[in-house]
Amino acid sequence: MTMGQALWRLPPRQQQQFQEELADRLADEEREGRQEQGRYGGAQRRAPHHCYGPDIYHLLRTRKGQHGFIDLEMLPPELGITILSYLNATDLCLAGCVWQDLGNDEYLWQGLCKSTWGHCSIYSRRLPADFSYRRLYLQLDEGSLTFNASPWEGISYFMSKGILVDHPTELAKFIFYTRRLNWKMLRIYLDERRDVLDELVTLHNFSNQFLPNALRDFFRHIHAPEERGEYLETLITKFSHRFCTCNPGLVRELGLSPDAVYVLCYSLILLSIDLTSPHVKNKMSKREFIRNTRRAAHNVSDDFVGHLYDNIYLIGHVAA
């Protein structure tokens, strides 16, 4: 259950308790601010810790002692969208029945659509007068659920509703800016649509990123397969070229090349497995990693390879 769903289903007594605790906390922070102001004779004033602003504070104070949770219609739109973004489509429809004005607010539904599905082809089109972002949200949710069961049927659904166009760049942007797609189904789809994969790789910006961190960022969007094979080799090859393109200065300074980055990425993956797997009892030492890596990547300095080892040792797996 998500945080939003938990708040939605809180009993009235717990809602009131949560509201009173938040109001008391804000009151304490305001009291500390007044004391700080008095201590400095009014010359300086410390900014309050909370980010709700005076309107939210007074709203909570006036609601203290009343039954029921605060009405979202009384909150700023940005805060209302943040709260509602934790709900799924079913709970959002239920919330729309309770807060009817809020449920019919097209700006709210537009914000919910674009915060969850950051890019859709339909966003850039001229929309008809009877267009509804609430209906679009339900279609996007339905399409995402369909994709997570069958990626091909999901993409076909989006296209049939006019949400996406069948172009690699548009499909790549949709995947890159969407949070609701199952990574296993996404991997199956990208393995078949290499043209979409190529466009998806170009959306990554690895400028001024340390190599292991860039690789983690890459695998957060394009999950690595569970087994070594042609698809993993393709991913690392595409990543290596993109990393060098984004860091021309680093490439010149360290004498790197796409082939050298490819070797380093494989070394990082193997080191990640070695250091994190409970089945490996004798962990690879830093000296061993430097020696093994230098055999394959001759132009890379020992210091740079040592920093790679430290990153994996301290932060963890690059493809977790």
Side-chain angles (χ1 to χ4, degrees), residues 202-233:
T202 61
L203 292 175
H204 289 81
N205 182 10
F206 301 125
S207 300
N208 301 317
Q209 287 195 43
F210 192 39
L211 180 60
N213 297 334
L215 194 58
R216 288 189 188 92
D217 184 38
F218 180 72
F219 283 137
R220 269 194 290 269
H221 284 96
I222 308 174
H223 288 265
E226 298 173 355
E227 298 178 355
R228 296 176 61 180
E230 187 269 338
Y231 182 58
L232 178 60
E233 294 178 0

Side-chain angles (χ1 to χ4, degrees), residues 56-72:
I56 304 302
Y57 165 71
H58 290 299
L59 185 60
L60 290 170
R61 292 298 298 176
T62 55
R63 291 284 299 175
K64 184 177 180 182
Q66 301 181 24
H67 295 288
F69 201 71
I70 193 169
D71 193 340
L72 289 185

Side-chain angles (χ1 to χ4, degrees), residues 95-230:
C97 295
V98 177
W99 299 296
Q100 294 185 7
D101 292 339
L102 200 64
N104 295 325
D105 188 343
E106 279 296 290
Y107 289 106
L108 171 65
W109 289 102
Q110 180 181 2
L112 290 172
C113 287
K114 293 187 177 182
S115 65
T116 306
W117 298 272
H119 179 87
C120 294
S121 304
I122 197 173
Y123 293 159
S124 58
R125 295 180 191 162
R126 183 185 294 268
L127 303 176
D130 61 344
F131 181 81
S132 170
Y133 273 101
R134 179 175 182 176
R135 182 170 62 249
L136 176 62
Y137 182 94
L138 297 177
Q139 291 173 345
L140 285 168
D141 185 73
E142 178 68 23
S144 298
L145 292 175
T146 304
F147 183 96
N148 293 339
S150 172
W152 301 103
E153 292 183 11
I155 295 297
S156 297
Y157 176 87
F158 287 129
M159 293 179 182
S160 67
K161 299 298 183 181
I163 297 173
L164 292 176
V165 296
D166 190 7
H167 190 277
T169 302
E170 287 295 302
L171 296 173
K173 288 181 178 179
F174 174 77
I175 292 170
F176 188 80
Y177 294 109
T178 297
R179 303 181 300 174
R180 294 277 182 93
L181 303 180
N182 181 273
W183 64 270
K184 291 184 178 180
M185 295 295 106
L186 191 57
R187 188 173 63 194
I188 294 173
Y189 180 75
L190 293 175
D191 194 15
E192 294 290 332
R193 289 293 303 265
R194 297 299 176 92
D195 55 342
V196 178
L197 177 61
D198 290 339
E199 295 294 333
L200 188 58
V201 172
T202 61
L203 292 175
H204 289 81
N205 182 10
F206 301 125
S207 300
N208 301 317
Q209 287 195 43
F210 192 39
L211 180 60
N213 297 334
L215 194 58
R216 288 189 188 92
D217 184 38
F218 180 72
F219 283 137
R220 269 194 290 269
H221 284 96
I222 308 174
H223 288 265
E226 298 173 355
E227 298 178 355
R228 296 176 61 180
E230 187 269 338

Side-chain angles (χ1 to χ4, degrees), residues 80-87 92 112 115-116 137 179-180:
I81 289 176
T82 301
I83 295 173
L84 293 177
S85 65
Y86 288 99
L87 304 181
L92 277 172
L112 290 172
S115 65
T116 306
Y137 182 94
R179 303 181 300 174
R180 294 277 182 93

Side-chain angles (χ1 to χ4, degrees), residues 252-270:
R252 290 192 300 269
E253 180 183 350
L254 298 179
L256 295 176
S257 66
D259 291 339
V261 174
Y262 179 92
V263 172
L264 293 175
C265 288
Y266 253 116
S267 298
L268 290 171
I269 292 174
L270 295 177

